[in-house]
Amino acid sequence: MPAPKTPDRPRVLILGGTTEGYALAETLAAGGRWAPVSSLAGRTANPRPPAGAMRVGGFGGPEGLTRWLIDEGIAAVIDATHPFASRMGWNAATACADSGVPLLRLERPKWQPGPGDAWTLVGDWDGAVEALRETGARRVLLAVGRQEVAPFAVLSDVWMLIRSVQAPEPMPPFARAEVRLARGPFSLADETALLRDRAIDTIVCKNSGGATDAKLTAARALGVRVVMRDRPRRPETATVPTVVAAAEWLDGLSL
């Protein structure tokens, strides 16, 4: 269903679903100059409605997105998707280049290791599996999302605590695993207790970035290793780290 048009205000497509996407929609809707249209991927049942208009589902690749931008009279696109949602980033770059619509990437900064951290950085999950083998991990907190746990099922001698919002479907054939359904953010006290109670020696996660993550702080204090997957490559485009900077970029456009 097409998003409702607001003729008196330029329409901004926010490729969202993230904290930053929701915050930007609220900022633009409250400001009154721009009409935000948030696009959500539709992978989560009953998503929280953002401020302004909302659409759910794909566009049909870069060609479909190009047509949608033109047909809907979109003045600018803000790619505020998750750092690991790289396909949408490439589709947006192609569609905006073909349609002449300005594009900005709103991306939270990466997490960076600090003193006391024992991190192994990897480029993919095969690399993470190999890192677990090399370090002799035995009890692992797997915090990678329910759709990406399957590569770790080959580690028959490792006990896995799989934490996700929804259970993996189908469940990969883990030799030893526990599924813990929970939605963050988690407090430092809770993360510290979890790592201690489950005797976790290694955390596997993605470099989602943003505010300091409690599990990483707890891992540093307890001497727990971290195997962290780096972000996928994205197209070269103008990028800002904050909602304020994204709003300023929009206000600087000549439309």
Side-chain angles (χ1 to χ4, degrees):
M1 178 182 297
K5 293 182 171 58
T6 308
D8 57 333
R9 292 191 287 163
R11 306 173 76 225
V12 177
L13 175 64
I14 301 172
L15 302 172
T18 57
T19 300
E20 294 82 4
Y22 279 101
L24 180 60
E26 291 175 4
T27 296
L28 298 184
R33 177 178 176 185
W34 304 94
V37 181
S38 294
S39 177
L40 309 181
R43 294 177 181 171
T44 302
N46 303 313
R48 174 166 65 95
M54 178 179 74
R55 69 174 304 280
V56 178
F59 292 93
E63 297 83 4
L65 179 55
T66 300
R67 290 192 300 271
W68 195 90
L69 295 177
I70 295 171
D71 292 346
E72 295 296 314
I74 299 299
V77 175
I78 307 291
D79 175 11
T81 53
H82 191 275
F84 282 81
S86 59
R87 179 179 298 178
M88 189 68 248
W90 287 101
N91 288 352
T94 299
C96 286
D98 291 345
S99 64
V101 175
L103 170 66
L104 178 73
R105 169 72 179 154
L106 171 56
E107 182 171 85
R108 67 191 76 156
K110 288 183 179 182
W111 291 319
Q112 300 291 340
D117 285 323
W119 289 13
T120 300
L121 303 179
V122 298
D124 54 32
W125 293 137
D126 289 339
V129 169
E130 186 59 29
L132 293 176
R133 286 180 171 139
E134 290 177 354
T135 58
R138 287 295 176 263
R139 296 183 64 84
V140 172
L141 170 59
L142 202 54
V144 301
R146 67 186 181 96
Q147 296 178 319
E148 300 186 60
V149 299
F152 299 92
V154 300
L155 297 170
S156 58
D157 58 342
V158 180
W159 180 85
M160 300 282 182
L161 177 59
I162 301 169
R163 184 168 70 184
S164 61
V165 177
Q166 296 174 278
E169 181 78 25
M171 181 67 176
F174 284 93
R176 297 185 296 157
E178 173 187 338
V179 177
R180 183 183 182 91
L181 301 183
R183 184 188 297 273
F186 305 102
S187 71
L188 178 58
D190 287 343
E191 294 291 68
T192 300
L194 178 67
L195 297 181
R196 281 178 171 161
D197 293 347
R198 294 296 195 276
I200 299 297
D201 59 52
T202 308
I203 296 171
V204 179
C205 63
K206 302 175 180 178
N207 196 331
S208 298
T212 301
D213 189 85
K215 67 177 176 288
L216 300 179
T217 302
R220 180 186 307 122
L222 297 175
V224 172
R225 293 186 297 272
V226 176
V227 175
M228 186 175 295
R229 181 173 176 174
D230 201 3
R231 297 175 179 181
R233 189 173 71 88
R234 282 182 172 266
E236 295 293 332
T237 189
T239 303
V240 296
T242 66
V243 169
V244 171
E248 291 175 347
W249 178 86
L250 283 170
D251 288 340
L253 293 178
S254 299
L255 300 178

